[in-house]
Amino acid sequence: MSDRPVVVTAAGAVRGRDDGRVSAWRGIRYAEPPTGALRWRAPVPARPWKGVAEAVRFGPAAPQRPNPSVPLAPGEPGGPRMDEDCLFLNVVRPSAEPAFGRPRPVMVWLHGGAYALGASSQLVYRGDALATDGDVVLVTLNYRLGALGFLDLAAAGVPGAETNVALRDVLLALAWVRDNIRAFGGDPEAVTVFGQSAGAGLVTALLASPAADGLFHRAIAQSPPAGSMYGPERSGRVARRILDHLGVAPGDVGSLRGLPVEAIVDAGAAVYTEVPRAHPGTLAFAPSVGDDLLPESPLRVLSEGRGLPVPLIVGTNRDEATLFRLMRSPLLPIRSASLRRMFSAMRDEQERLGQPDGGRLPPRDRILAAYAGTRMSRSVRVATDIAFRMPALWLAEGHSAVAPTYLYRFDYAPLLLRLTGIGAAHATDLPYVWGEFGGLPHDPSFLFGGRRAAAAVSARVRARWAAFAHGAEPGAGWPPYDSDRRATLVIAREDRTAADLDAALRAGWGAQILSFG
């Protein structure tokens, strides 16, 4: 096998690298640059090229403020490359021929980052271990972020602006997979889309989008903020904030499309923190509900069993909110005052929507009873559950009626993270899914040991995810979720299955969904 393998795609030939373990093609263009007249417009498929395009390094990340907690692969001298021309993807497959001579199943990754940060070039997403141990073809991709990807300018009255352009990026990338992945040895009829945090939110949006039907066949949502998607009124308010920061009127389309990208990133960074501080529990950037792609809130669609009927793994980490407390992030309402404001806003919104008694908000005392005896800050637990755990439970309950659904909770944390009170925080599952423990610089997680145990946990998680992608059940001892037993896999030093693990939470929060959608 050549160490510089060439594959011919619909747009042209690409040359990658093979190191004897994996063949990798990095930085394949799947769309034209979304710049100039294409800024805030649906992506356009990449035009055909002549010759052989080199695909040996990651394409630029979407423009964003650098963040030490989201380390990107080094690019040019001076740091990672970022560019508005960012719509590139990567393909990694095992070097060895498939065991049975058939195309391999495909796993397509959507990175997280609060819809404003991250890239496929994050070090933890290298993919060698997941592709080889799982015997899959792995695709990772960039999509537009922040104000360039999740700003609903149409709701603010900007002529010619399109909605949900980042979600349209993802749909175009999935169409690229459908049309091209067979040339890389992948099976276009066995595509699993998976993601974490905002990436998992996009997975739930795909499950609720008629436009995604047929583009994927299985789904995995790790810590999905499924309740954090908003209709035109709220999206329009965020867009008007951005326009105010930029000093541009909604009708001045020429000025908007000619602005330096740095100005848009700066305005987006300001609004990124302003919105959750002014309105606890909400995000500045998220998919917009009410257009042709997302006619309804994904949380509502899936909880009512109306999503695309594909098998689903969904779950959360036990201590999601501790990361946000540690980073003093405004994205989650941790303080009691912020939580009270969030519940008040939810009640007001439900009343506005015609539910005069505050809608289905459960009584405060009933919610707090669910946390009796908890050893962690009650507000941290409440923030974890309203942002992540309860949406996952509502999704599992509804989707299990239309397709096999598997619910989990990731509990594993090495000793240092337990001693410091961080525990199994948001995003701490990523190295275990990817088998990459060098993705964070100066990571102290194993300062007190535990790497061998962590490697064993990682091997089990990757085996489960890969088995699912291959069309099987996700490993032994994990039955599908149903409304009788409500089986949940607890991923820990030793995995176990619990019946109705979240009974107290369900009793406290109730069965009806709560969101700003």
Side-chain angles (χ1 to χ4, degrees):
M1 181 176 291
S2 169
D3 62 355
R4 298 299 310 281
V6 174
V7 168
V8 179
T9 74
V14 290
R15 180 185 289 114
R17 282 184 177 156
D18 188 294
D19 63 5
R21 186 186 184 200
V22 298
S23 297
W25 294 262
R26 305 194 192 277
I28 302 174
R29 179 182 292 280
Y30 72 88
E32 288 299 293
T35 58
L38 291 180
R39 182 181 278 176
W40 293 303
R41 301 282 297 178
V44 174
R47 288 194 294 266
W49 57 80
K50 295 180 180 180
V52 180
E54 293 294 325
V56 296
R57 66 173 183 168
F58 292 106
Q64 58 195 272
R65 284 277 184 88
N67 189 313
S69 67
V70 185
L72 306 180
E76 305 293 345
R81 294 187 299 156
M82 296 184 193
D83 198 297
E84 194 172 357
D85 180 11
C86 62
L87 299 183
F88 297 86
L89 55 76
N90 318 290
V91 180
V92 180
R93 74 177 186 202
S95 298
E97 294 297 324
F100 300 102
R102 295 192 297 266
R104 292 180 166 101
V106 182
M107 297 183 74
V108 179
W109 174 253
L110 306 179
H111 71 79
Y115 304 108
L117 301 167
S120 62
S121 56
Q122 285 174 244
L123 299 176
V124 72
Y125 305 144
R126 179 177 177 83
D128 293 19
L130 187 56
T132 54
D133 294 349
D135 196 30
V136 299
V137 176
L138 180 66
V139 178
T140 61
L141 61 101
N142 290 349
Y143 53 89
R144 282 173 278 183
L145 297 174
L148 291 163
F150 293 95
L151 198 61
D152 190 352
L153 288 172
V158 175
E162 294 189 75
T163 54
N164 281 318
V165 296
L167 183 55
R168 296 178 197 275
D169 295 342
V170 172
L171 287 166
L172 181 60
L174 287 171
W176 184 97
V177 169
R178 177 196 61 202
D179 298 338
N180 293 284
I181 205 64
R182 192 176 294 278
F184 295 86
D187 185 353
E189 300 300 323
V191 175
T192 297
V193 63
F194 70 131
Q196 181 266 346
S197 193
L202 289 170
V203 170
T204 66
L206 291 169
L207 285 165
S209 176
D213 192 10
L215 290 176
F216 64 99
H217 312 92
R218 292 187 166 231
I220 302 173
Q222 301 169 210
S223 305
S228 299
M229 301 183 198
Y230 317 114
E233 182 178 341
R234 188 178 296 275
S235 298
R237 290 203 299 268
V238 172
R240 286 188 289 273
R241 267 186 192 258
I242 292 283
L243 294 175
D244 288 345
H245 274 278
L246 293 171
V248 177
D252 194 354
V253 179
S255 292
L256 273 174
R257 294 216 160 94
L259 282 170
V261 69
E262 295 81 9
I264 298 170
V265 171
D266 288 345
V271 173
Y272 175 85
T273 56
E274 289 174 5
V275 167
R277 284 175 177 160
H279 306 283
T282 64
L283 301 176
F285 304 115
S288 299
V289 174
D291 68 354
D292 59 317
L293 293 191
L294 280 185
E296 300 178 73
S297 159
L299 183 57
R300 183 165 301 282
V301 170
L302 297 179
S303 68
E304 294 177 359
R306 295 187 287 116
L308 298 179
V310 303
L312 170 67
I313 290 175
V314 61
T316 65
N317 295 358
R318 184 188 59 197
D319 309 308
E320 299 274 6
T322 57
L323 177 71
F324 298 90
R325 180 182 61 180
L326 176 70
M327 299 174 63
R328 299 186 178 180
S329 169
L331 297 183
L332 278 191
I334 301 294
R335 296 180 182 276
S336 297
S338 296
L339 285 168
R340 285 195 296 270
R341 288 171 58 203
M342 180 189 72
F343 280 108
S344 177
M346 292 175 103
R347 181 174 290 107
D348 290 346
E349 182 144 330
Q350 291 190 355
E351 288 175 349
R352 183 180 62 79
L353 294 174
Q355 298 160 343
D357 62 348
R360 296 180 294 268
L361 277 177
R364 179 175 179 273
D365 290 345
R366 194 180 84 194
I367 292 175
L368 295 182
Y371 300 92
T374 182
R375 289 181 291 178
M376 184 174 286
S377 162
R378 189 164 59 184
S379 61
V380 171
R381 286 293 180 203
V382 171
T384 289
D385 295 334
I386 191 58
F388 297 106
R389 190 63 187 174
M390 291 310 303
L393 297 181
W394 292 321
L395 290 178
E397 194 79 25
H399 198 68
S400 64
V402 295
T405 300
Y406 301 87
L407 179 67
Y408 74 88
R409 193 180 74 189
F410 184 86
D411 284 16
Y412 185 78
L415 179 60
L416 180 67
L417 296 189
R418 298 198 306 272
L419 291 175
T420 54
I422 297 172
H426 191 66
T428 58
D429 56 321
L430 288 174
Y432 298 85
V433 170
W434 288 84
E436 298 281 353
F437 290 98
L440 289 175
H442 314 300
D443 183 359
S445 299
F446 301 110
L447 187 63
F448 295 164
R451 185 176 288 272
R452 182 177 297 179
V457 173
S458 175
R460 290 200 308 274
V461 171
R462 283 181 284 123
R464 291 184 185 279
W465 267 221
F468 184 71
H470 278 266
E473 293 185 352
W478 190 3
Y481 186 95
D482 61 51
S483 57
D484 293 326
R485 189 182 177 202
R486 295 188 169 91
T488 303
L489 179 72
V490 178
I491 300 173
R493 189 181 183 96
E494 300 293 336
D495 294 351
R496 64 183 176 89
T497 303
D500 208 357
L501 179 71
D502 302 284
L505 288 182
R506 289 191 307 100
W509 288 95
Q512 299 298 325
I513 66 170
L514 306 173
S515 76
F516 287 103

